[in-house]
Amino acid sequence: AQSVTQLGSHVSVSEGALVLLRCNYSSSVPPYLFWYVQYPNQGLQLLLKYTSAATLVKGINGFEAEFKKSETSFHLTKPSAHMSDAAEYFCAVGHSGGVADGLTFGKGTHLIIQP
Amino acid sequence: DVKVTQSSRYLVKRTGEKVFLECVQDMDHENMFWYRQDPGLGLRLIYFSYDVKMKEKGDIPEGYSVSREKKERFSLILESASTNQTSMYLCASSGPPRGEQYFGPGTRLTVT
């Protein structure tokens, strides 16, 4: 069975500082992984995805994530935080092989940007 | 542009009412999903469908049912709404294997 752990329900960084959101997963098969962002009162929007190509994945809005198999991690980073990055971020692991591809989500990390 | 729409953004219902939440996607996707989102719990899968008239239970199906009569439409039904079903409900769809899910804007349901 798959599971996702996001370390830190809330992360606060200063504007212009590095953003690091942590995600660890467990999966019994080679995983495919996603990061989604949710702005207030909106649905989830895909930031980036890993599907066994390059281990460093670039996404929208300057975010990127690195897949590290040995650490079972898929941490999300951005070199310089912007006020508009304030949102909820979800890591998800995909699992296929059943009747439909499903996703297991982490509990989310609320990113706060301090001016 | 990819689009998943949900019938209502906000809904207020009384305990015991039958509630219908509608979701429509325009991407010709086979798979559709219903999640509920609660603070501190993330997203939890209620039901999903991989084809017309086909459905599978997710992690928390109790108190819910679904209907998929057409490929583009997936409905979530609360047979008798209860206050513990007050939540944000998110619909999603996906197509290719190992592909991402596309989400609707969500319906915030309050049961009083």
Side-chain angles (χ1 to χ4, degrees):
Chain A
Q2 285 79 11
S3 68
V4 176
T5 301
Q6 291 184 240
L7 291 175
S9 59
H10 291 78
V11 170
S12 180
V13 303
S14 298
E15 190 175 18
L18 171 72
V19 175
L20 171 60
L21 304 182
R22 299 177 188 274
C23 172
N24 288 89
Y25 70 92
S26 68
S27 176
S28 56
V29 296
Y32 53 108
L33 296 152
F34 304 87
W35 274 100
Y36 284 87
V37 61
Q38 185 181 34
Y39 299 102
N41 296 315
Q42 295 187 25
L44 275 66
Q45 177 184 358
L46 181 70
L47 270 180
L48 49 81
K49 66 178 180 179
Y50 166 77
T51 55
S52 78
T55 56
L56 183 63
V57 182
K58 293 189 184 298
I60 62 171
N61 301 340
F63 284 93
E64 62 182 37
E66 186 173 9
F67 172 69
K68 291 187 176 180
K69 184 178 178 180
S70 60
E71 299 177 8
T72 59
S73 69
F74 190 56
H75 301 332
L76 182 71
T77 60
K78 182 175 180 177
S80 178
H82 193 272
M83 294 300 291
S84 61
D85 294 326
E88 190 91 17
Y89 291 80
F90 292 92
C91 181
V93 60
H95 39 97
S96 56
V99 294
D101 292 345
L103 295 181
T104 298
F105 286 85
K107 289 182 167 41
T109 297
H110 187 73
L111 178 62
I112 300 161
I113 310 297
Q114 303 282 2
Chain B
D1 200 13
V2 161
K3 202 103 184 213
V4 179
T5 56
Q6 296 183 229
S7 51
S8 304
R9 295 299 307 273
Y10 300 92
L11 210 52
V12 179
K13 295 292 182 180
R14 295 193 181 277
T15 302
E17 278 193 83
K18 190 169 186 176
V19 181
F20 292 86
L21 303 182
E22 304 285 338
C23 175
V24 177
Q25 52 97 0
D26 66 358
M27 294 161 284
D28 202 35
H29 283 167
E30 288 78 20
N31 306 317
M32 296 188 75
F33 307 83
W34 275 107
Y35 297 89
R36 64 176 283 175
Q37 182 182 14
D38 300 288
L41 297 178
L43 277 74
R44 292 180 290 167
L45 182 63
I46 304 171
Y47 267 97
F48 66 95
S49 169
Y50 54 93
D51 201 351
V52 175
K53 297 191 185 294
M54 307 304 289
K55 59 186 179 184
E56 292 283 339
K57 293 180 180 179
D59 300 318
I60 51 164
E62 296 78 19
Y64 304 94
S65 62
V66 291
S67 171
R68 193 168 181 200
E69 296 296 320
K70 294 185 177 182
K71 190 176 185 179
E72 67 271 17
R73 189 179 297 270
F74 192 35
S75 302
L76 179 70
I77 303 154
L78 287 66
E79 295 291 342
S80 177
S82 64
T83 55
N84 63 13
Q85 292 178 310
T86 291
S87 186
M88 170 73 100
Y89 289 88
L90 292 165
C91 174
S93 72
S94 71
R98 302 172 73 85
E100 62 266 36
Q101 292 185 11
Y102 294 88
F103 284 82
T107 295
R108 187 168 294 280
L109 173 67
T110 302
V111 182
T112 61

